[in-house]
Amino acid sequence: MRILGIDYGDARTGLSVSDQTGLLAGSPSVIEEWNHARLLERLAQYIKEERIEEIVLGYPKNMDGTAGARAQKCEAFAQELEGLTGLPVTLWDERRTTVAAHAILHGNGKKMKKHRRTVDAVAATLILQNYLDWRRTQP
């Protein structure tokens, strides 16, 4: 089963796809698209091409656990994706994922201004891997 992890953004959306076993997140990439309708079209095409069966969407809760404006935007985006693809979309708490992505890249000597795309792809990979790890613990 191939699962898609998404770090949704206004300008860039990070993607990561699991291996067939659903154990490892990989194949990080980014879609750069400002137009919401075109982003949905491009995602639907990607999902079809990659034979995705499930979607995990980063859910940016506030640090106190509440859902702010960005989280509400992700809830609406999840509903649109479900309607467009017919696939289940799981909202996954992504608090501190971008911070962790920056730390990983900084630890490897990457300059942040040059690697904004990479941060989004790494964040999507972290979101997906955290979900896959959790999934393995479920009965």
Side-chain angles (χ1 to χ4, degrees), residues 66-114:
T66 60
R70 188 73 199 168
Q72 291 170 355
K73 191 170 186 176
C74 285
E75 290 169 5
F77 189 68
Q79 289 179 346
E80 288 177 296
L81 273 176
E82 281 183 357
L84 185 62
T85 65
L87 296 175
V89 177
T90 300
L91 293 171
W92 190 257
D93 187 351
E94 68 167 49
R95 282 179 282 185
R96 303 201 47 85
T97 303
T98 300
V99 172
H102 278 284
I104 289 167
L105 292 170
H106 182 71
N108 287 309
K110 303 289 184 192
K111 301 278 187 212
M112 291 307 109
K113 284 190 175 187
K114 291 184 176 180

Side-chain angles (χ1 to χ4, degrees), residues 19-83:
D19 64 351
Q20 274 301 116
T21 66
L23 295 175
L24 296 172
S27 304
S29 62
V30 172
I31 294 176
E32 290 196 44
E33 184 59 69
W34 293 82
N35 182 285
H36 185 74
R38 283 197 298 259
L39 173 61
L40 285 168
E41 287 174 20
R42 290 179 68 183
L43 276 172
Q45 183 64 34
Y46 183 88
I47 288 164
K48 184 178 179 182
E49 288 171 1
E50 295 295 322
R51 297 187 176 124
I52 301 298
E53 298 175 58
E54 183 180 348
I55 301 167
V56 179
L57 177 63
Y59 189 50
K61 291 182 177 179
N62 295 323
M63 291 308 287
D64 65 1
T66 60
R70 188 73 199 168
Q72 291 170 355
K73 191 170 186 176
C74 285
E75 290 169 5
F77 189 68
Q79 289 179 346
E80 288 177 296
L81 273 176
E82 281 183 357

